Amino acid sequence: MPRVALVTGAAGGIGSAIVERLEADGWLVHGVDVADADLTTPAGNRAVVDAAIARFGQLDAVVANAGFQHVSPIRDFPEEKWDALIALLLTSPFLLAKYAWDALAESGDGRFCAISSVHGIVASPFKSGYTSAKHGVIGLVKTIALEGADVGISASAICPGYVRTPLAEAQVADQARVHGIPPERVEEEVFLAAQPVKRMLEPSEVAGAVAFCLSPAGKGLTGSPLVLDNGWSAR
Ligand SMILES: NC(=O)c1ccc[n+]([C@@H]2O[C@H](COP(=O)([O-])OP(=O)(O)OC[C@H]3O[C@@H](n4cnc5c(N)ncnc54)[C@H](O)[C@@H]3O)[C@@H](O)[C@H]2O)c1
């Protein structure tokens, strides 16, 4: 019997790579993005879980991947951007876990995988909302791991460094402004400054980490982050 996964942010750079990889591995995948439901709302999260179960009759894994970024100093950080970052990056994974809980328990081998970030382990200036939410999601997967242990649910968080996607591209102008440098210097002087290995990840590399977390070999990875950061957090 094929296993069924729900993937959020499926139209994005990393999300579409996750869908492609899981389908290649034999998963049935229900991929959703903002056109299907707004995941900053409880109703949106409920709807995508219900739709996955209605479509395939079961749910064995949830990959909480949808996200966005906002770059600003704290003194200017718009409160509505803070609220939206917490809603999408932290509250949505919580709601997905809550609404999918019974189905994941029924699976007998349920998996929950959140795409956190190296910013779940370390901070960068001008990313207060994103960094706070990504740290929080690591606390969430630890809690899911403890509560899920007796019902066969494993939970992990993947922590990538910079990945070449629209989310990274979209912050070049703001990073240039807050750091006072031209946009063409952002990749080298901001994105890759803290990474010993001077390259951005490709979405397929993050998808490979997700595939491992959801595989039989990844079941023991529960309650802990899988850090894929080109050495960033080793300093
Ligand atoms: N790109 C990076 O450098 C990087 C590094 C570490 C972690 N991440 C994380 O990886 C995940 C995917 O990021 P990406 O780089 O592929 O970004 P992306 O912008 O390419 O894709 C994100 C997707 O989320 C969707 N989304 C946004 N708001 C939504 C909403 N309210 N409801 C439903 N869907 C919504 C977007 O439509 C988009 O398709 C995010 O959680 C991000 O924080 C990215």
Side-chain angles (χ1 to χ4, degrees), residues 8-15 32-35 37-40 64-68 88-89 115-118 130 134 159-168 171 200:
T8 71
I14 294 171
V32 298
D33 207 282
V34 69
D38 179 2
L39 296 178
T40 63
N65 165 74
F68 75 102
L88 186 61
L89 302 183
I115 310 303
S116 177
S117 168
V118 68
Y130 187 87
K134 292 299 192 182
C159 297
Y162 277 100
V163 189
R164 201 172 294 287
T165 72
L167 183 147
Q171 58 183 286
M200 292 175 72

Side-chain angles (χ1 to χ4, degrees), residues 97-107 153:
K98 175 180 166 80
Y99 299 145
W101 193 269
D102 289 348
L104 295 179
E106 203 173 308
S107 161
I153 299 173

Side-chain angles (χ1 to χ4, degrees), residues 70-173:
H70 187 77
V71 175
S72 171
I74 289 172
R75 69 187 297 278
D76 301 325
F77 209 98
E79 285 91 335
E80 64 274 17
K81 290 291 184 193
W82 170 278
D83 288 345
L85 282 162
I86 299 299
L88 186 61
L89 302 183
L90 182 55
T91 306
S92 171
F94 159 71
L95 292 172
L96 293 168
K98 175 180 166 80
Y99 299 145
W101 193 269
D102 289 348
L104 295 179
E106 203 173 308
S107 161
D109 186 9
R111 307 295 176 94
F112 183 91
C113 180
I115 310 303
S116 177
S117 168
V118 68
H119 287 104
I121 310 281
V122 300
S124 289
F126 315 124
K127 293 191 171 181
S128 54
Y130 187 87
T131 299
S132 302
K134 292 299 192 182
H135 274 67
V137 88
I138 292 177
L140 174 66
V141 300
K142 289 180 180 179
T143 312
I144 296 171
L146 297 180
E147 294 189 22
D150 291 342
V151 290
I153 299 173
S154 294
S156 55
I158 295 172
C159 297
Y162 277 100
V163 189
R164 201 172 294 287
T165 72
L167 183 147
E169 291 301 320
Q171 58 183 286
V172 169

